[in-house]
Amino acid sequence: MTQSHQDSASDASSSELTSDEEAQGIAAELDAIAQEVQEERDIVADLTTDLQRIQAEYSNYRKRVERDRAVAHEIAIASVLTEILPILDDLDRAIEHGELTGGFKAVAEQLISATTRIGLVRFGEAPSPFDPNIHDAMLHETSDEVTETTVTTILQPGYRFKERIVRPARVTVTDPKV
C-alpha cells in the first residue's frame, strides 16, 4: 500500500472510532437526560400524591367542623329547652285543672306552639310497651292483664328534640305476673 492509501485508511478508521465514541457519548447523555426526566416525574408524582392527601384531609376537616357545629347547635337548643320543661309541665297541669283563662291562656298556647316549631316533641302514651331508652320507670306493678312489660301510666311526659331525648317519660310500669 502506498503511504497516502494507508493514511486515508487510517483516517477512515479513526473517523469510525470517533463516530462510535460520539454515538456512545450521545447515548450516555440521552440516558442521563432520560434519568433526570424520570426523577422529575417521580417528584411531580410524589407532590401530586401529597396534594391529593392534603386536599382530602382538608375536606374531611371541613365536614367534621360542620358536623360539630350542627351538634353544638343542637346541644345548645336542647339545653335551653331543658330549662323550659318545668314551665311546660306547669302549663300542662294548669290546662288539666282548667286554670288557664284569658290572656295567660294565649301566652301559654304561644309558648307551647313556639317550642313545637323549634322541634320539641312530646312523647309518652299509655298503654305502650316499655322502652328503657325513652321511659324512666318510677313505679312497678304486676298484673295478669299484661303479657309484656307495659307502660300503664304517664307520670310526666318525655320530650325529644330531633334525635336527642331531652327528658325521658316518667312512667308507671306493669309487669306480667309470673
Side-chain angles (χ1 to χ4, degrees):
M1 273 192 163
T2 63
Q3 183 66 21
S4 84
H5 192 49
Q6 283 180 347
D7 286 340
S8 80
S10 170
D11 287 342
S13 78
S14 85
S15 169
E16 283 180 19
L17 287 177
T18 307
S19 293
D20 285 344
E21 289 173 355
E22 284 180 20
Q24 288 177 353
I26 291 172
E29 285 181 38
L30 286 176
D31 287 343
I33 291 172
Q35 186 175 356
E36 286 179 30
V37 167
Q38 186 58 43
E39 288 172 0
E40 294 298 322
R41 284 186 180 153
D42 290 345
I43 291 171
V44 168
D46 289 343
L47 291 174
T48 301
T49 302
D50 288 346
L51 178 61
Q52 289 171 341
R53 181 182 46 78
I54 289 170
Q55 284 176 330
E57 286 176 2
Y58 178 70
S59 177
N60 291 338
Y61 167 78
R62 213 175 57 239
K63 290 174 187 174
R64 188 173 54 250
V65 166
E66 286 300 317
R67 187 177 57 244
D68 290 349
R69 277 188 194 149
V71 168
H73 184 258
E74 283 183 27
I75 289 171
I77 291 174
S79 175
V80 170
L81 291 173
T82 300
E83 296 299 318
I84 295 175
L85 293 183
I87 298 168
L88 294 176
D89 292 336
D90 290 342
L91 292 175
D92 286 341
R93 284 189 288 274
I95 290 169
E96 285 176 15
H97 293 102
E99 296 177 6
L100 281 180
T101 58
F104 188 68
K105 182 177 181 181
V107 171
E109 290 171 354
Q110 287 177 349
L111 180 61
I112 292 169
S113 174
T115 57
T116 301
R117 276 193 315 271
I118 290 171
L120 186 66
V121 177
R122 180 180 172 160
F123 67 89
E125 300 215 1
S128 65
F130 177 73
D131 181 354
N133 295 317
I134 62 171
H135 297 121
D136 189 6
M138 304 302 284
L139 300 170
H140 278 86
E141 299 173 345
T142 57
S143 173
D144 291 331
E145 296 177 10
V146 297
T147 58
E148 65 178 339
T149 305
T150 305
V151 172
T152 52
T153 309
I154 303 296
L155 303 172
Q156 191 176 42
Y159 288 94
R160 174 183 300 123
F161 174 68
K162 296 192 176 187
E163 300 301 317
R164 185 178 309 276
I165 301 295
V166 178
R167 181 180 74 193
R170 295 185 173 119
V171 299
T172 300
V173 176
T174 302
D175 292 320
K177 279 192 177 177
V178 184

